[in-house]
Amino acid sequence: MDLNWDDVKTKNAIVSTPGWHLCRVDTVEQTTTSKKGLAQWQIDFLVMDESSAEDGHSIRDWLTLTQAAMWRMKQLYTALGISTTGRATIHPDDIAGRDCWVGLEYKPDTYGEQKLKVAANGYRSVSQGAGPAPHPAAAPEPEKSGPITEDEIPF
């Protein structure tokens, strides 16, 4: 078999660039793995932009299924072109295979480390286009090397 390794895309590589990415909802799984044991959807998006170095890479988001957090689900459904008026029963199959823009930004995790995550307003419809960056994309501070100075000691 003759093959060109340059044409082989990495499967399931994680997106590493902040900003907007044109994506397709790849898989949706209902889980109960939130920190409080609440039901949530684990959504895996696949970048669908052949002009991007991130094409074929994945983005993962979790949407908690509580009334207080339902605004994010509404935002995603709207971006995917699904009606968000009146009463409805929602199911993970509703969104699988649909396309939208997903915005990523650096946010601190529970340990204060900067991680690339879906922005609070991180979903846009395909017709809206990518738009401006969700927030200024600040890369994490580089780790310092060398000895710790007296000014860096917290006590």
Side-chain angles (χ1 to χ4, degrees):
M1 172 186 220
D2 184 27
L3 121 95
N4 180 351
W5 287 111
D6 295 335
D7 294 334
V8 177
K9 296 196 184 307
T10 304
K11 184 169 173 60
N12 295 327
I14 305 299
V15 170
S16 59
T17 308
W20 291 97
H21 302 276
L22 182 58
C23 295
R24 174 162 294 143
V25 177
D26 190 30
T27 61
V28 185
E29 179 183 350
Q30 185 162 331
T31 68
T32 55
T33 56
S34 77
K35 291 177 186 171
K36 295 182 180 180
L38 301 169
Q40 64 181 5
W41 286 4
Q42 176 182 297
I43 306 168
D44 290 316
F45 297 90
L46 189 62
V47 176
M48 304 296 292
D49 183 359
E50 292 181 2
S51 67
S52 168
E54 303 283 8
D55 183 48
H57 291 194
S58 64
I59 296 171
R60 179 171 284 170
D61 197 11
W62 294 266
L63 299 181
T64 305
L65 303 177
T66 64
Q67 192 61 40
M70 206 47 60
W71 65 272
R72 289 193 71 221
M73 186 70 76
K74 183 175 183 176
Q75 183 188 65
L76 176 60
Y77 265 60
T78 300
L80 294 171
I82 301 170
S83 175
T84 57
T85 58
R87 297 191 57 80
T89 301
I90 63 172
H91 190 273
D93 290 342
D94 297 342
I95 65 174
R98 294 181 177 252
D99 298 344
C100 69
W101 289 93
V102 178
L104 299 178
E105 66 182 357
Y106 283 102
K107 295 182 191 179
D109 65 9
T110 54
Y111 304 104
E113 293 182 29
Q114 294 291 316
K115 301 286 184 182
L116 197 57
K117 298 185 178 191
V118 175
N121 292 313
Y123 300 114
R124 294 174 61 93
S125 70
V126 172
S127 64
Q128 284 179 298
H135 290 284
E141 295 281 328
E143 291 188 27
K144 291 184 177 182
S145 61
I148 296 174
T149 66
E150 191 172 307
D151 292 340
E152 296 174 308
I153 300 174
F155 47 88

